[in-house]
Amino acid sequence: MEDQKKDLETVNEDELFHFVEYSPDAAETVSYSEYSYWRSVWQNFLKKKSAVVLSIVFIALVIFSFIALAIGKYNYQELIPDSTKSFIAPNAEYWFGTDNIGRDYWCQVWYASQTSIKLALIVALGECALGITIGCLWGYVRKLDRFITEVYNIITNIPVIIYMTLIALMIGQSFEIMAVSLILFGWLVMARNVRNLVLMYRDREYNLASRTLGTNIWRILVKNILPYLISVIILRLALSIPGTISMESTLSYLGLGLDINTPSLGILLRNARSYFLDYPYLLVFPAIIVSVITITFYLIGNAFSDASDPRNHV
């Protein structure tokens, strides 16, 4: 150690330090990061093998619902021209059997799956758009906070089943009416979650600086705040799909859902309640599909929400 200290003392300072020459090209060079948020999200999501498998299962289920109708031998509304064809157990001719009035249950189940999945996707996207818009305004614009809070409290204090019952009795039952109704009363959870997060980020230093510079509200919300909400939005969006299917199944089971002429998983479950003890296949097939969709989207939503959280990115 002493020899090293002596060597350092003998070194001239000019040999240790020197001025770097000025280079205009080097001074204008801008560093570039190869980080991509969405690429990182997909990389983290693909690491969760179970979520990837469940995603494949759901996509295969949707695709097969179209294939199943194409390869089916009968139309979902077609009555088999023989009164003895009702309540036939699954066999080589009728793969899922027949229902109480002699319709091919294979086509009934897969057409109903398409209807329920379509309804769930439309409602989920509608709830997401309406909930994000109202939630951002609710949390950022202080003048609207009291008004939207009162509207939220009024709607949430009355069970949704009462709203849906009144709509079904006064307006009617159809695919469009149910979709709009579920969106109008389903945005509340999304809006509340978004509002709470906007309150957290609204007065951060960079947002105060943006307001001082005259940046408009929508730009601040979209550019400064919304990126921090993506993980919560994705989770809520994913959970809304099985939630909508469950709600539709419950309402249809009670006779308040879709029109009886529009097969859905809920209507099939409702129709099977009178016969499932003697003919359990009428309940088993739609119940399995409802369970698969609900479980897969719940797990996929949690996995994708974790993957989209920037704190989990390396």
Side-chain angles (χ1 to χ4, degrees), residues 3-21:
D3 295 339
Q4 292 179 353
K5 290 181 179 179
K6 291 181 180 179
D7 293 338
L8 291 174
E9 290 176 356
T10 58
V11 175
N12 190 348
E13 290 185 358
D14 294 336
E15 297 177 1
L16 293 175
F17 305 99
H18 64 280
F19 289 99
V20 178
E21 296 182 0

Side-chain angles (χ1 to χ4, degrees), residues 173-186:
Q173 296 172 259
S174 68
F175 183 92
E176 293 78 12
I177 292 175
M178 172 162 277
V180 173
S181 301
L182 291 176
I183 291 172
L184 289 178
F185 300 112

Side-chain angles (χ1 to χ4, degrees), residues 143-157:
K143 294 180 180 179
L144 296 176
D145 183 71
R146 179 65 181 274
F147 172 73
I148 299 179
T149 300
E150 294 300 328
V151 172
Y152 174 86
N153 291 332
I154 291 172
I155 297 176
T156 52
N157 285 328

Side-chain angles (χ1 to χ4, degrees), residues 21-312:
E21 296 182 0
Y22 173 73
S23 172
D25 294 334
E28 295 296 329
T29 301
V30 178
S31 61
Y32 173 76
S33 173
E34 295 184 355
Y35 171 78
S36 171
Y37 172 76
W38 287 110
R39 184 173 60 190
S40 181
V41 168
W42 282 111
Q43 288 175 348
N44 287 344
F45 180 75
L46 293 176
K47 293 177 182 178
K48 302 178 184 293
K49 302 302 181 183
S50 60
V52 174
V53 172
L54 292 174
S55 300
I56 296 173
V57 169
F58 176 76
I59 294 172
L61 180 67
V62 174
I63 295 174
F64 186 74
S65 66
F66 291 92
I67 298 175
L69 291 178
I71 65 177
K73 299 178 181 180
Y74 303 95
N75 186 275
Y76 75 94
Q77 290 180 327
E78 181 181 354
L79 289 174
I80 300 172
D82 189 344
S83 59
T84 62
K85 296 295 185 180
S86 59
F87 295 124
I88 295 178
N91 55 40
E93 177 67 18
Y94 308 108
W95 299 324
F96 280 4
T98 60
D99 63 5
N100 59 313
I101 57 176
R103 291 176 297 187
D104 182 36
Y105 209 52
W106 170 273
C107 295
Q108 286 274 305
V109 168
W110 291 112
Y111 186 87
S113 300
Q114 285 187 16
T115 302
S116 296
I117 292 173
K118 188 192 304 182
L119 176 68
L121 291 174
I122 292 173
V123 171
L125 293 175
E127 289 179 359
C128 182
L130 188 61
I132 291 173
T133 303
I134 295 177
C136 287
L137 294 175
W138 187 6
Y140 194 84
V141 182
R142 289 183 172 87
K143 294 180 180 179
L144 296 176
D145 183 71
R146 179 65 181 274
F147 172 73
I148 299 179
T149 300
E150 294 300 328
V151 172
Y152 174 86
N153 291 332
I154 291 172
I155 297 176
T156 52
N157 285 328
I158 301 175
V160 177
I161 193 71
I162 295 179
Y163 294 120
M164 301 304 297
T165 301
L166 293 175
I167 291 172
L169 296 176
M170 298 176 63
I171 300 177
Q173 296 172 259
S174 68
F175 183 92
E176 293 78 12
I177 292 175
M178 172 162 277
V180 173
S181 301
L182 291 176
I183 291 172
L184 289 178
F185 300 112
W187 59 269
L188 300 168
V189 178
M190 174 73 80
R192 183 188 62 200
N193 292 338
V194 170
R195 181 250 186 188
N196 293 338
L197 290 174
V198 170
L199 286 175
M200 291 173 55
Y201 295 108
R202 180 180 63 187
D203 295 326
R204 295 287 175 91
E205 291 79 1
Y206 52 87
N207 287 324
L208 292 175
S210 296
R211 290 203 295 271
T212 303
L213 294 173
T215 306
N216 62 63
I217 293 177
W218 288 110
R219 184 172 180 82
I220 293 175
L221 289 172
V222 173
K223 295 293 185 180
N224 294 3
I225 297 178
L226 195 59
Y228 292 96
L229 314 181
I230 290 177
S231 61
V232 174
I233 291 171
I234 290 175
L235 177 60
R236 189 61 232 162
L237 180 65
L239 295 180
S240 176
I241 292 174
T244 300
I245 292 178
S246 299
M247 176 61 73
E248 183 272 325
S249 300
T250 302
L251 293 172
S252 296
Y253 186 83
L254 298 174
L256 303 172
L258 299 176
D259 182 13
I260 192 171
N261 296 320
T262 305
S264 69
L265 294 174
I267 290 177
L268 294 184
L269 292 173
R270 183 192 68 182
N271 294 340
R273 66 185 175 182
S274 302
Y275 311 107
F276 75 93
L277 291 177
D278 297 321
Y279 309 100
Y281 66 89
L282 294 176
L283 179 68
V284 169
F285 293 121
I288 288 176
I289 294 177
V290 170
S291 301
V292 169
I293 295 173
T294 303
I295 294 172
T296 53
F297 255 97
Y298 176 77
L299 297 177
I300 291 170
N302 279 288
F304 207 84
S305 176
D306 292 340
S308 61
D309 190 342
R311 293 172 296 183
N312 296 329

